[in-house]
Amino acid sequence: MRKIASLACKILGIFFIIQGTNVLSSILIYSVSTPNAVVHESLLNAIFSLVYILFGFLLWIFSGKLSLILTKEEHYSNEGSGLRSVDLQRVLFSVLGLYFIGHSVPRLVSALMSMYPMNGISTTRVLFSSIGIITELIIGLGIFFGSQGLVRLLDLIRTAGLKR
C-alpha cells in the first residue's frame, strides 16, 4: 500500500512539474514576444509557475514520507497481501487533498505577492478576491488530514442504504 501511495504522490508531483513548466514556457514566450510588457507582472507569473514546479519536486522528494502518513501499518497482517478497499480509498482521498493543496498554494502565493507593490488597492480587497483560493486550500488540508474519517463516512453512507 505504501508503494501505491508513494507512486500516487510521485505522479501528482510530475503533474505539477509539467503544469508549472507549461505556464513558465508560456510566460517566457509572452515576455520575449512583447518587449514592452510590464516586468513586474511577468515576474509574478514566473514566481507562480516556479511555486508549481517547487511543489511538484517536493511531492516527488517527500513521497516516501507522505506515503507513511497516507498509510498506516497497523491495518496489515502477515497472512494476506491483498489490497483492502478501505486503505485504497484513504490513499486516494489523501492524494485528492494533496491535489487541492498543490493547486491552491501557487495561486495564493501569487495573490499575496501581488499585494505587495499595489498601493492603490487595499489589502482587504485582495484578500476578498482570494477567498476561493483559501477555501480550496482549507478543503485540501481537510481532505488530506481527514481521509480516514471520509472513508468511514463513505462506508457509513454505503451501509445505511443511501447508495443503491
Side-chain angles (χ1 to χ4, degrees):
M1 183 55 71
R2 284 193 182 149
K3 289 180 182 181
I4 292 173
S6 178
L7 181 63
C9 289
K10 288 179 181 180
I11 290 172
L12 190 60
I14 290 170
F15 172 76
F16 282 123
I17 291 169
I18 291 170
Q19 290 290 96
T21 305
N22 188 14
V23 171
L24 186 62
S25 67
S26 298
I27 292 168
L28 291 176
I29 290 171
Y30 174 75
S31 298
V32 169
S33 65
T34 55
N36 295 332
V38 179
V39 174
H40 174 71
E41 289 178 7
S42 296
L43 182 63
L44 282 177
N45 289 330
I47 289 172
F48 172 77
S49 62
L50 291 175
V51 171
Y52 258 121
I53 294 170
L54 175 69
F55 190 76
F57 277 120
L58 289 175
L59 268 174
W60 182 274
I61 292 169
F62 293 113
S63 64
K65 291 183 181 185
L66 282 171
S67 68
L68 292 174
I69 294 171
L70 298 176
T71 60
K72 294 182 180 179
E73 194 64 40
E74 63 198 34
H75 293 224
Y76 299 107
S77 64
N78 291 333
E79 54 191 53
S81 62
L83 191 63
R84 293 180 13 171
S85 66
V86 172
D87 297 329
L88 187 59
Q89 289 172 356
R90 187 177 64 238
V91 169
L92 292 177
F93 274 127
S94 297
V95 171
L96 181 65
L98 282 175
Y99 172 77
F100 285 136
I101 293 168
H103 189 255
S104 62
V105 167
R107 294 183 323 169
L108 186 61
V109 168
S110 179
L112 293 176
M113 293 287 290
S114 68
M115 245 180 10
Y116 175 70
M118 295 183 186
N119 297 330
I121 298 178
S122 68
T123 304
T124 55
R125 184 173 176 190
V126 173
L127 287 177
F128 275 125
S129 66
S130 301
I131 287 177
I133 300 169
I134 294 169
T135 304
E136 184 178 359
L137 177 67
I138 291 169
I139 289 172
L141 288 170
I143 291 173
F144 178 73
F145 289 115
S147 62
Q148 183 68 34
L150 287 171
V151 169
R152 288 184 189 145
L153 178 67
L154 186 65
D155 189 46
L156 180 69
I157 290 171
R158 201 176 296 132
T159 58
L162 295 178
K163 184 178 179 187
R164 294 175 189 211

